[in-house]
Amino acid sequence: MAAASAALLAAGLGASAHAAEFSYAEAAKPYKGVSIRVLDEVTPLQEVLAKLVPGFEQETGIKVDYQLLGHMEVINRGQADMLSGRGYFDAVMLHGFQMGQMLEAEALLPIDSLVADKKLSNPNLETADLIERPYKTVAFFGGKQYGFVNWNYNHVYWARADLLNDEGEKAAFKARYGYDLAPAKTLEQLRDIAEFFTRKKGATLAGKPLESDFYGVVFDGVKGSASLFSFVNNILKNYGGDIVDASGKPNFDTPATVAALKLYADLWKFAPPGTAEYSLLDVPTVMGNGIAAQSMAFSDFVLGVDKPGASPFAGKFVYAGIPVKADVDPKFASAEAEPSLVAIGASSKHPEATFLFIQWLTEKKQQEALLNAGQGGVPIRESSWELPVLKASANPTLFKAMKDTLSVAEAKPRMPKYLELSDALSTVVQQVGMGRLTPEQGAAEGQKALVRVCGDKCTL
């Protein structure tokens, strides 16, 4: 018994010693002088991160060619390189929606053996601290791990606090709808607020005559995956629906879809006339210009708008989690998000050195430095919510909204034909929004589109 206890104690001390002794400098000695190429997406967050990368190079002796390109360029060039097997890039930032195609093609390197390698794996990485739902749904599939989570893009509810707090508007709203005006907690309230604030040029808004038309809501309505999944994850899932069932079978022609499309079509009545051309990039511009009362938009765009000099309404916004359907079963609560990871390609010429880099990116120390340098950001770790840079923010409702969103956020299902599916289905959903199809027709046509693209099953 004593011998067993001594053995366990020795094992524990050995593990503790390994944890205490681990250093990237030591782990990287066999790879000193190696050069790796990593492709990421250019946003303010990644531009801040790029300034931290030299710290990894100094610590390890590994050279990192950290390249930043636009959204579509990263998708096109990164995927093309991985799918071709060329291996020009050792690692590429992949959005969750890309994972289906990449996994089907076996273009990604599972990192399980690297994680298990005590010479390479950082025992202090504290992956249990990574925000669980986004991390687990983007980085794992089929019993294998393909990375960590590096970017937690997520939607938040975004509204004009100055309008919601105006006494005259509050009184008029209460008289009309029978409840207090406040940031929408339900989709029904979102719809009421959208209707209430939609006004023509010359009408009064917060006691002043409008010089142009004003809209109750703005969202991206252009054809494509971003606008489709804004509808799916912010509205449809909150009604208990989805585009596929648990087995991956097309499941769009349901009562839940019809009800969700009815609300969606209603919101189009209170949105700007150019909604069918609005992309996710246009939404923050409209909110920043002050011609809409509320939106649901990616929080990283908010960071670029709600700051002095970026918008005349900076400091006049309020944020919250995505509104849910009234009396919704909590299990259906959903929010649009795009958890993303830096994945190592199956043809990488330097997988070990690249693994050290993606671990380093994920570390608490680097994440804290990133958030501090960017004066905020979108956390990937639960512990980051307690950092002073977030808690002492000039607008703490934004980070509370991010936290609420990320508690229910998931990566997209593993759909190899995601882009074809999105193109076909977004066309149908847009037609409903524009009033060219009824919700019932949209549900039926959407089902046909899904079956046409992916047959009996849309997921791996």
Side-chain angles (χ1 to χ4, degrees):
M1 195 70 173
S5 297
L8 287 171
L9 178 61
L13 289 173
S16 298
H18 172 58
E21 293 170 3
F22 181 87
S23 76
Y24 286 99
E26 185 67 27
K29 280 184 177 179
Y31 316 106
K32 189 173 183 179
V34 163
S35 294
I36 63 174
R37 293 190 187 93
V38 178
L39 179 61
D40 207 337
E41 182 172 295
V42 60
T43 78
L45 301 178
Q46 277 91 334
E47 289 174 333
V48 171
L49 178 63
K51 298 175 182 178
L52 304 180
V53 171
F56 174 81
E57 295 176 313
Q58 292 173 1
E59 186 174 356
T60 64
I62 297 170
K63 175 66 177 175
V64 183
D65 181 5
Y66 183 62
Q67 299 183 24
L68 298 180
L69 295 175
H71 175 74
M72 288 309 301
E73 288 180 285
V74 172
I75 293 173
N76 293 334
R77 289 190 60 184
Q79 282 194 179
D81 180 64
M82 285 183 160
L83 292 171
S84 72
R86 180 187 177 199
Y88 179 81
F89 294 108
D90 292 283
V92 173
M93 186 270 247
L94 297 177
H95 300 83
F97 70 77
Q98 297 173 263
M99 292 295 287
Q101 182 181 4
M102 305 306 287
L103 289 167
E104 183 183 55
E106 298 183 349
L108 305 181
L109 180 74
I111 65 169
D112 302 88
S113 62
L114 299 170
V115 170
D117 189 335
K118 291 183 179 180
K119 293 181 179 179
L120 293 171
S121 186
N122 180 359
N124 304 310
L125 195 57
E126 296 184 64
T127 55
D129 183 45
L130 295 172
I131 300 173
E132 184 176 14
R133 204 158 170 179
Y135 168 46
K136 292 295 178 67
T137 57
V138 76
F140 296 83
F141 182 75
K144 297 179 180 180
Q145 184 174 356
Y146 291 89
F148 302 102
V149 61
N150 296 95
W151 306 110
N152 266 334
Y153 303 114
N154 65 95
H155 269 207
V156 294
Y157 174 78
W158 181 3
R160 286 275 300 278
D162 58 326
L163 299 182
L164 298 185
N165 293 327
D166 182 84
E167 292 301 326
E169 299 292 350
K170 288 167 66 176
F173 186 89
K174 181 71 175 283
R176 184 170 177 180
Y177 296 98
Y179 62 92
D180 291 332
L181 178 62
K185 292 183 178 180
T186 69
L187 290 168
E188 291 84 353
Q189 291 171 358
L190 175 78
R191 184 262 171 218
D192 287 348
I193 294 170
E195 179 183 51
F196 177 72
F197 279 113
T198 300
R199 302 177 192 180
K200 293 293 185 181
K201 176 182 177 180
T204 299
L205 179 68
K208 298 179 181 179
L210 286 166
E211 297 180 359
S212 60
D213 293 348
F214 190 81
Y215 302 95
V217 68
V218 60
F219 49 87
D220 48 325
V222 71
K223 294 178 185 178
S225 61
S227 57
L228 171 65
F229 279 91
S230 294
F231 163 73
V232 171
N233 289 317
N234 289 339
I235 299 177
L236 178 57
K237 282 190 176 181
N238 279 310
Y239 273 78
D242 204 343
I243 63 175
V244 296
D245 64 17
S247 69
K249 183 179 180 180
N251 192 44
F252 199 68
D253 194 1
T254 67
T257 298
V258 173
L261 285 172
K262 285 181 178 177
L263 174 74
Y264 186 63
D266 223 14
L267 292 177
W268 275 67
K269 300 173 186 175
F270 313 122
T275 295
E277 284 77 47
Y278 280 2
S279 73
L280 57 84
L281 300 174
D282 296 306
V283 171
T285 300
V286 173
M287 286 298 293
N289 287 340
I291 61 172
Q294 57 180 348
S295 182
M296 294 183 284
F298 278 107
S299 62
D300 57 312
F301 288 126
V302 172
L303 292 168
V305 172
D306 194 1
K307 60 183 181 181
S311 165
F313 298 92
K316 297 181 179 180
F317 296 115
V318 65
Y319 307 93
I322 296 300
V324 299
K325 185 178 181 296
D327 303 319
V328 70
D329 185 326
K331 71 180 181 182
F332 293 129
S334 175
E336 167 61 350
E338 197 55 76
S340 304
L341 73 168
V342 177
I344 302 175
S347 300
S348 167
K349 298 174 181 63
H350 307 290
E352 295 86 1
T354 308
F355 176 70
L356 289 174
F357 180 64
I358 66 172
Q359 278 190 116
W360 183 86
L361 288 180
T362 312
E363 265 195 319
K364 269 188 181 181
K365 183 169 66 174
Q366 268 61 252
Q367 288 301 308
E368 182 173 354
L370 174 62
L371 294 171
N372 284 332
Q375 299 182 341
V378 185
I380 63 171
R381 289 183 169 272
E382 291 287 358
S383 58
S384 294
W385 302 118
E386 298 303 314
L387 293 174
V389 69
L390 301 191
K391 296 195 75 173
S393 166
N395 198 334
T397 65
L398 175 57
F399 298 106
K400 173 64 165 59
M402 289 183 190
K403 187 175 183 180
D404 289 348
T405 293
L406 290 171
S407 70
V408 299
E410 295 182 343
K412 304 294 186 293
R414 306 304 200 229
M415 296 177 174
K417 294 185 177 180
Y418 175 88
L419 293 177
E420 300 98 309
L421 178 156
S422 297
D423 186 59
L425 191 54
S426 67
T427 299
V428 174
V429 171
Q430 186 194 65
Q431 292 289 302
V432 175
M434 297 174 71
R436 295 175 181 175
L437 292 174
T438 67
E440 292 80 6
Q441 290 170 332
E445 290 300 314
Q447 181 74 7
K448 292 176 184 176
L450 287 171
V451 172
R452 184 169 61 250
V453 171
C454 50
D456 291 335
K457 190 174 182 181
C458 296
T459 59
L460 290 177

